[in-house]
Amino acid sequence: DIQLTQSPSFLSASVGDRVTITCRASQGISDYLAWYQQKPGKAPKLLIYTASTLHSGVPSTFSGSGSGTEFTLTISSLQPEDFATYYCQLLSTYPLTFGQGTKLEIK
Amino acid sequence: EVQLVESGGGLIQPGGSLRLSCAASGFIVSSNYMSWVRQASGKGLEWVSVIYSGGSTYYADSVKGRFTISRDSSKNMLYLQMNSLRAEDTAVYYCARWLQLGNAAFDIWGQGTMVTVSS
């Protein structure tokens, strides 16, 4: 099975900061990677698909990049509503593994 | 409005069975790839199963042979039949639509239904 490793697992930042979360795959997955945001008690929300395509309605402060084994999610200017947990997911092969998550907290 | 609403969760004893339901509105379940994802309390997301529009199904190793995904086109519903339940199956279960734009992503999620396996 292909493993996804996110880093960091925890991130403390301030409103207005630029932050980057990395997701590394144990094997190449082309661009079959998605990013989700989840807030406590809520279902995940899709942010980015095919590594870099912004989902409809998602603010342009979010961006994704990468291909193969290394991917990044960048938030260019943190807003108060962006403090949440972020997950990457591979969609190239089964199982459709998620990364372990990155919890973004307010500094 | 495009949405998914899960139901059927609850408290069940180890070894028992439960069927989760997922009602879709605003799109046709049988024309889409549909999936179940679960999340234990305080833990990350775990993919469980998928059913293709053509009917093929796939499962995580942790549930293979115990869980069955299915759908009812007449009711526009998705189901997850869970048998031989274990304590480690305790989680919130989400249904989701798998957007098929180059294997894109899970673009629509339900609110989740809680399953607790305990004696």
Side-chain angles (χ1 to χ4, degrees):
Chain A
D1 294 357
I2 299 175
Q3 309 299 319
L4 292 180
T5 303
Q6 287 183 232
S7 60
S9 295
F10 297 93
L11 182 56
S12 182
S14 302
V15 173
D17 282 355
R18 178 186 180 92
V19 299
T20 297
I21 299 169
T22 298
C23 179
R24 289 187 174 88
S26 59
Q27 298 175 40
I29 58 171
S30 185
D31 63 352
Y32 294 122
L33 189 103
W35 290 96
Y36 302 89
Q37 176 193 69
Q38 187 180 34
K39 295 182 178 179
K42 300 294 187 182
K45 288 186 177 180
L46 176 62
L47 298 174
I48 302 279
Y49 60 92
T50 55
S52 60
T53 305
L54 197 66
H55 185 50
S56 176
V58 175
S60 59
T61 52
F62 289 88
S63 64
S65 66
S67 183
T69 61
E70 185 152 336
F71 303 85
T72 59
L73 172 70
T74 299
I75 309 172
S76 61
S77 179
L78 277 171
Q79 300 303 302
E81 59 270 24
D82 298 335
F83 291 92
T85 300
Y86 293 85
Y87 294 93
C88 56
Q89 182 198 19
L90 72 85
L91 294 114
S92 57
T93 56
Y94 293 109
L96 304 180
T97 304
F98 290 87
Q100 83 277 14
T102 295
K103 187 173 184 179
L104 177 54
E105 298 179 326
I106 300 175
K107 185 182 287 184
Chain B
E1 182 187 6
V2 175
Q3 67 174 358
L4 294 166
V5 178
E6 301 95 336
S7 60
L11 175 63
I12 187 76
Q13 291 190 339
S17 297
L18 204 59
R19 189 179 81 158
L20 305 183
S21 300
C22 173
S25 56
F27 70 98
I28 299 172
V29 164
S30 59
S31 297
N32 285 271
Y33 288 22
M34 299 295 298
S35 194
W36 288 94
V37 175
R38 67 185 181 183
Q39 186 172 37
S41 180
K43 303 296 184 183
L45 300 168
E46 180 187 14
W47 172 76
V48 172
S49 181
V50 67
I51 184 167
Y52 287 1
S53 51
S56 297
T57 59
Y58 296 88
Y59 299 91
D61 285 346
S62 58
V63 307
K64 199 174 296 182
R66 300 188 298 123
F67 289 12
T68 302
I69 190 171
S70 65
R71 65 192 181 205
D72 185 329
S73 301
S74 66
K75 297 180 179 179
N76 209 30
M77 296 280 289
L78 178 72
Y79 302 101
L80 186 68
Q81 177 67 43
M82 304 185 296
N83 299 331
S84 303
L85 282 161
R86 307 166 180 167
E88 55 264 35
D89 296 318
T90 295
V92 174
Y93 284 73
Y94 297 101
C95 61
R97 183 178 76 171
W98 185 359
L99 180 66
Q100 285 298 303
L101 285 176
N103 269 17
F106 294 180
D107 67 328
I108 301 168
W109 295 67
Q111 84 289 351
T113 188
M114 182 70 206
V115 173
T116 303
V117 183
S118 175
S119 54

